[in-house]
Amino acid sequence: MENSSTAHRGRWAAPAALVALAAGLVYLNSLGAPFHYDDYETVLTNKNIRIFSDLASILLHSPFRGVLFLSFALSYHLTGADPLGFHLFNTIVHMMNAVFVFALVRQLVRRSGNDPDERHAPLVAGLLFAVHPAFTEAVTYISSRSSLLATTFYLLCVLAFLAAADARTTARCVLLYAASFATWVLGLLTKELLATAPLMLIIIDWLVVTGPGNRRAMARRLLLPHGLFLLFLAAGLSFRVYIFATR
């Protein structure tokens, strides 16, 4: 059994490594790029990110994007004001995202049963994501890190949600749903794009997990786990509207 599990992991390791390698190589020439435009205000002249232990200053600099500025503070803590460190961070995150896309498509293909080998579509999707020029600005422009990190948390949220649906024990199911919810909240504190995730999870659940024909099960799942996401989203949106209305 252990040898079979090891062989199964090894079967996916090579294509996942290829996807990560492609994502890194395509942006290798951007590592030496300097700071540009908003980078000066976001990083170079931003005194709030210079002391990594001062979490209050970092998170309150932009409360609705605290996780993003925490990542800038981490980059500054590790490499100072050298743009190489910031570009390297962005590139590594993009490599991770490409592997997460590979993993997500693998899960979707496995559920559909349309690819007997289950490796072709995930590999093609991962490679397309890795090298597609649409991500050039997000990777090479330091201030666009919000898009990269938001993608990371979005993908992790969906992957954890799908894993929870396959969990064999209640404890593991709850843990994975909690992980999905936690990564979604972290994503919301990175970029507002994650506000669409609850709707996306409902669509994925209906089409892939529960199935369009199982309306009763879907109705129950709209209460939990989806109800928790929607309730938190409504509370967050209300709070944000209140903050902007009272400024």
Side-chain angles (χ1 to χ4, degrees), residues 202 205-207 209-223 226:
I202 291 174
D205 195 346
W206 181 59
L207 293 177
V209 179
T210 307
N214 199 342
R215 296 183 179 180
R216 289 186 178 180
M218 190 64 209
R220 289 194 299 268
R221 290 174 64 80
L222 284 175
L223 295 176
H226 296 296

Side-chain angles (χ1 to χ4, degrees), residues 84-102:
L84 172 61
F86 287 83
H87 284 299
L88 186 59
F89 187 102
N90 280 20
T91 302
I92 291 174
V93 172
H94 178 62
M95 293 169 68
M96 292 168 50
N97 287 347
V99 174
F100 292 152
V101 167
F102 171 86

Side-chain angles (χ1 to χ4, degrees), residues 35-45 141-144:
F35 291 110
H36 292 290
Y37 306 116
D38 292 342
D39 294 343
Y40 293 98
E41 182 179 352
T42 302
V43 177
L44 288 182
T45 62
Y141 183 29
I142 294 169
S143 293
S144 286

Side-chain angles (χ1 to χ4, degrees), residues 109-185:
V109 168
R110 179 180 64 82
R111 291 172 181 277
S112 71
N114 291 328
D115 184 357
D117 190 36
E118 291 185 11
R119 284 182 293 183
H120 300 138
L123 180 59
V124 170
L127 289 174
L128 281 175
F129 183 94
V131 304
H132 200 287
F135 301 103
T136 300
E137 181 178 339
V139 179
T140 61
Y141 183 29
I142 294 169
S143 293
S144 286
R145 181 180 294 180
S146 58
S147 298
L148 283 177
L149 283 180
T151 301
T152 302
F153 291 124
Y154 211 127
L155 291 168
L156 286 175
C157 173
V158 176
L159 283 169
F161 184 88
L162 289 174
D166 290 335
R168 296 182 178 180
T169 65
T170 302
R172 180 172 174 79
C173 179
V174 171
L175 182 63
L176 287 168
Y177 277 133
S180 179
F181 183 80
T183 51
W184 174 62
V185 173

